Amino acid sequence: MSNIFNLSDSAATLVIVAHPDLENSRINKRLAAELERRGNVTVHRLYETYPNEIFDVAREQALLTAHDRVVLQFPFFWYSSPSLLKKWMDVVFEFGWAHGKDGDKLKGKELLIAISTGGAQSMYQAGGFHNYSFSELLRPFQQSANLTGMIYRPPFVVSGIREVSDEQLEKYAADYAVYVEGRPAVSGTKG
Ligand SMILES: Cc1cc2nc3c(=O)[nH]c(=O)nc-3n(C[C@H](O)[C@H](O)[C@H](O)COP(=O)(O)O)c2cc1C
């Protein structure tokens, strides 16, 4: 496993895992474990690193600087991310660093979003139970990428998690590892 304290040893891809209870998670725990098992990306578990929710901003910025591709992985909560990831973006993507005058430190990096959702894919469309598509609901991330000069990629989505069998989850985990490496995955990339 890559260690976030050892930046010189870091891979090109940084995966920020933001789950408030990863130990009791089924989907995100399995996805993160697959990346850690393969060991070629840096996996950064946000809630475990910052239990008191006070960030080391310089360290987070150094981590971002050291990678070319950033993956934000989280369970979909109220059509968005868990609160700590929002807070992380609020304080780490600073004016003058990520945007604004001389704020070009994220420019050219890729931004990938990986989410798990209780609702099924078919619910996420006009007229469906959740009315809007994942692409529409993820717009704040897309526009944050635009503002910071990052390259936004199609998301990886594990939807309808209650219907995902253990066998399907294994397939998702393998596809996720491919997706994180920047190659198109077979499943999970319907936005
Ligand atoms: C506070 C909260 C809010 C949630 N909001 C949504 C939501 O907006 N849309 C949805 O499809 N699922 C929603 N869910 C379900 C989670 O997305 C689902 O439990 C999670 O993706 C499962 O992943 P895990 O096995 O890694 O915990 C919500 C769950 C919680 C606890």
Side-chain angles (χ1 to χ4, degrees), residues 37-94:
R37 189 182 70 78
R38 296 185 182 220
N40 54 354
V41 300
T42 306
V43 178
H44 182 18
R45 298 170 175 230
L46 215 53
Y47 277 89
E48 289 169 33
T49 308
Y50 295 109
N52 60 6
E53 304 206 356
I54 298 167
F55 299 107
D56 180 339
V57 174
R59 185 175 143 218
E60 294 304 305
Q61 291 178 344
L63 202 50
L64 286 162
T65 303
H67 296 81
D68 322 306
R69 183 181 304 125
V70 179
V71 184
L72 304 179
Q73 180 196 322
F74 52 91
F76 216 31
F77 279 7
W78 286 105
Y79 308 110
S80 186
S81 69
S83 57
L84 190 62
L85 182 59
K86 176 66 166 59
K87 194 173 177 181
W88 177 85
M89 284 182 72
D90 290 351
V91 303
V92 177
F93 286 21
E94 278 180 326

Side-chain angles (χ1 to χ4, degrees), residues 16-191:
I16 308 280
V17 179
H19 193 301
D21 187 11
L22 199 58
E23 209 41 55
N24 291 307
S25 139
R26 177 169 175 250
I27 307 297
N28 286 277
K29 186 180 181 179
R30 179 67 193 91
L31 297 182
E34 182 64 23
L35 301 183
E36 286 170 340
R37 189 182 70 78
R38 296 185 182 220
N40 54 354
V41 300
T42 306
V43 178
H44 182 18
R45 298 170 175 230
L46 215 53
Y47 277 89
E48 289 169 33
T49 308
Y50 295 109
N52 60 6
E53 304 206 356
I54 298 167
F55 299 107
D56 180 339
V57 174
R59 185 175 143 218
E60 294 304 305
Q61 291 178 344
L63 202 50
L64 286 162
T65 303
H67 296 81
D68 322 306
R69 183 181 304 125
V70 179
V71 184
L72 304 179
Q73 180 196 322
F74 52 91
F76 216 31
F77 279 7
W78 286 105
Y79 308 110
S80 186
S81 69
S83 57
L84 190 62
L85 182 59
K86 176 66 166 59
K87 194 173 177 181
W88 177 85
M89 284 182 72
D90 290 351
V91 303
V92 177
F93 286 21
E94 278 180 326
F95 180 87
W97 187 84
H99 67 107
K101 190 175 181 309
D102 300 327
D104 59 357
K105 303 297 185 293
L106 296 173
K107 196 173 173 189
K109 298 181 190 293
E110 290 177 277
L111 183 67
L112 288 70
I113 308 293
I115 57 170
S116 61
T117 72
Q121 165 85 31
S122 59
M123 295 175 173
Y124 283 93
Q125 58 181 322
F129 187 80
H130 294 295
N131 272 302
Y132 301 98
S133 68
F134 295 124
S135 286
E136 289 171 308
L137 294 167
L138 291 171
R139 286 266 155 78
F141 293 97
Q142 183 179 3
Q143 179 52 19
S144 298
N146 290 343
L147 186 76
T148 56
M150 298 180 86
I151 302 153
Y152 187 78
R153 301 294 187 202
F156 184 90
V157 182
V158 180
S159 58
I161 52 131
R162 276 172 296 276
E163 279 74 50
V164 173
S165 68
D166 289 347
E167 195 183 3
Q168 285 168 326
L169 182 53
E170 291 309 300
K171 172 94 171 72
Y172 273 119
D175 282 350
Y176 182 50
V178 170
Y179 169 81
V180 160
E181 285 165 18
R183 294 182 280 139
V186 180
S187 67
T189 47
K190 296 179 206 128

